[in-house]
Amino acid sequence: MIRAAIAGVGHYLPERVVENDWFASFLDTSDEWIRSRSGIERRHFAADGQVTSDLALEAARGALTDAGMAPDDLDAVVVATSTPDLTFPATATILQQKLGMTRGFAYDVQAVCAGFVYALSNAHALIVSGQASTVLVVGAETFSRILNWEDRATAVLFGDGAGAVVLRAVEGQGTPADVGILAVDLHSDGRHRDILQVSGGVSSTGTAGHLTMAGKEVFRHAVEKLARCTEDVIAKAGVTMDAIDRVVPHQANVRIIAKTAAKLGLPMEKVVVTVQDHGNTSAASIPLAMSVAAKRGDLKPGDLIVTEAIGGGLAWGAVVLRWGHGR
Ligand code: ACO
């Protein structure tokens, strides 16, 4: 049985670091409010002229190096982003050109903060169906470009960044002891599309627009839906909650992360938390957290990992995988 295993992981954060105090210079807010409500201490913002594919490129290079692979070893590139360089072509094809990759195919996936989970599921499907043997999956965002700097309830929560994984086809036995992706669970419900959205678009306003959010409602949906789909994906994988070694949640807000873990009976020692250092980077947040955790030795070959995310749409999902070693 073919499994899609993680062969390499990388991330990139822009050089400019913005601490919470910076916002207090032009908004009625404070470091204390931002920390206590979200767990965020700082975020990175892209420099003028630095676009999403530039961030994606650095993360992709890191993941390829980690996998010991060159760009032309890849069959496909999937980029999850809601902040593409251009309306078209896909940021993935721009990344393909910047990597110097001359073969394969590349496209974008747009599922906002759930984008990486959707893209991972998509890449997994390419591999198990035999359409590709090696896929680069990137989450990359420049949310600073769609923030309303006068809205203290949203401007303080987001940051720019990128993370990437290389997936490779490996032989498995078809049991939960296999390395690679063991189960996927995806959902969306467009009835809730207006509680988290951007106020512009190509065919409506002709502008990029600004992010708007009904924070309390998003919070409520997030905890309930993430807990449910995490339980479901663990059952689909044929494992138990106790067997999970690490949770890599979407890094939106430490209170959502902690409440969801508590609902699932998962101790926080098992949960990877990096949101304090980069805020909510939407589709980039999970591969970014995976890369940070792998580099500090918190994700080890053989570890059973569950990753989950929710975002605009609403769109949400979860994946169970066994870490390493698609090398
Ligand atoms: N600084 C100071 N005060 C603020 C700020 C700020 N940055 N932002 C909002 N406030 C004020 C509000 O105006 C409100 O004031 P009022 O009572 O005078 O009207 C007060 O703080 C309380 O606002 P609430 O919305 O009740 O604050 P809450 O405790 O719910 O926290 C938050 C707000 C952090 C946005 C919370 O609702 C939340 O975490 N929601 C989930 C949002 C999220 O993480 N979204 C990310 C995108 S979706 C995803 O990735 C999962």
Side-chain angles (χ1 to χ4, degrees), residues 2-223:
I2 300 294
R3 296 284 195 188
I6 293 194
V9 60
H11 73 274
Y12 173 76
L13 288 162
E15 267 175 40
R16 184 178 167 212
V17 182
V18 171
E19 302 287 340
N20 288 345
D21 281 336
W22 180 75
F23 290 93
S25 66
F26 62 96
L27 286 173
D28 182 11
T29 188
S30 64
D31 174 50
E32 196 281 323
W33 193 96
I34 300 167
R35 263 176 212 252
S36 63
R37 298 303 214 286
S38 71
I40 297 165
E41 296 172 23
R42 60 194 64 82
R43 74 288 292 138
H44 296 238
F45 287 143
D48 288 346
Q50 195 178 26
V51 291
T52 295
S53 63
D54 295 326
L55 277 51
L57 177 64
E58 298 303 326
R61 282 184 175 149
L64 283 167
T65 302
D66 192 35
M69 285 168 59
D72 275 344
D73 294 331
L74 295 168
D75 294 331
V77 178
V78 186
V79 173
T81 188
S82 304
T83 45
D85 292 11
L86 300 170
T87 301
F88 76 74
T91 301
T93 57
I94 301 172
L95 173 62
Q96 193 185 21
Q97 178 254 322
K98 288 183 177 176
L99 279 169
M101 181 180 160
T102 57
R103 59 182 297 277
F105 57 96
Y107 58 93
D108 290 356
V109 164
Q110 210 272 46
V112 203
C113 297
F116 183 77
V117 167
Y118 270 62
L120 199 60
S121 158
N122 214 256
H124 168 249
L126 291 177
I127 288 177
V128 298
S129 67
Q131 287 188 78
S133 297
T134 47
V135 185
L136 173 69
V137 187
V138 185
E141 303 279 15
T142 46
F143 259 51
S144 61
R145 307 272 153 78
I146 53 166
L147 294 177
N148 173 359
W149 299 107
E150 290 172 6
D151 179 13
R152 64 180 181 172
T154 54
V156 302
L157 298 176
F158 295 88
D160 301 338
V165 301
V166 175
L167 288 184
R168 179 181 276 163
V170 297
E171 276 296 331
Q173 303 303 311
T175 74
D178 290 350
V179 294
I181 293 173
L182 301 177
V184 174
D185 193 49
L186 299 182
H187 302 270
S188 65
D189 187 344
R191 288 175 300 176
H192 305 300
R193 70 190 183 98
D194 58 348
I195 65 171
L196 178 54
Q197 65 178 7
V198 171
S199 61
V202 181
S203 75
S204 52
T205 61
T207 62
H210 290 117
L211 187 148
T212 65
M213 179 174 71
K216 272 194 198 313
E217 276 190 76
V218 172
F219 196 106
R220 185 173 54 78
H221 281 288
V223 174

Side-chain angles (χ1 to χ4, degrees), residues 270-294:
K270 290 189 175 182
V271 183
V272 172
V273 180
T274 59
V275 67
Q276 68 278 1
D277 292 326
H278 51 68
N280 183 345
T281 58
S282 191
S285 97
I286 288 175
L288 183 47
M290 276 182 179
S291 177
V292 169

Side-chain angles (χ1 to χ4, degrees), residues 210-291:
H210 290 117
L211 187 148
T212 65
M213 179 174 71
K216 272 194 198 313
E217 276 190 76
V218 172
F219 196 106
R220 185 173 54 78
H221 281 288
V223 174
E224 176 215 312
K225 289 178 167 51
L226 290 175
R228 168 77 64 85
C229 81
T230 302
E231 277 174 351
D232 289 350
V233 79
I234 284 170
K236 270 192 195 178
V239 296
T240 60
M241 200 66 73
D242 287 349
I244 297 293
D245 296 302
R246 290 278 167 200
V247 187
V248 187
H250 168 46
Q251 306 287 316
N253 180 318
V254 83
R255 285 162 61 220
I256 295 178
I257 293 172
K259 275 204 158 190
T260 306
K263 219 170 158 96
L264 292 166
L266 283 162
M268 281 304 282
E269 300 85 74
K270 290 189 175 182
V271 183
V272 172
V273 180
T274 59
V275 67
Q276 68 278 1
D277 292 326
H278 51 68
N280 183 345
T281 58
S282 191
S285 97
I286 288 175
L288 183 47
M290 276 182 179
S291 177

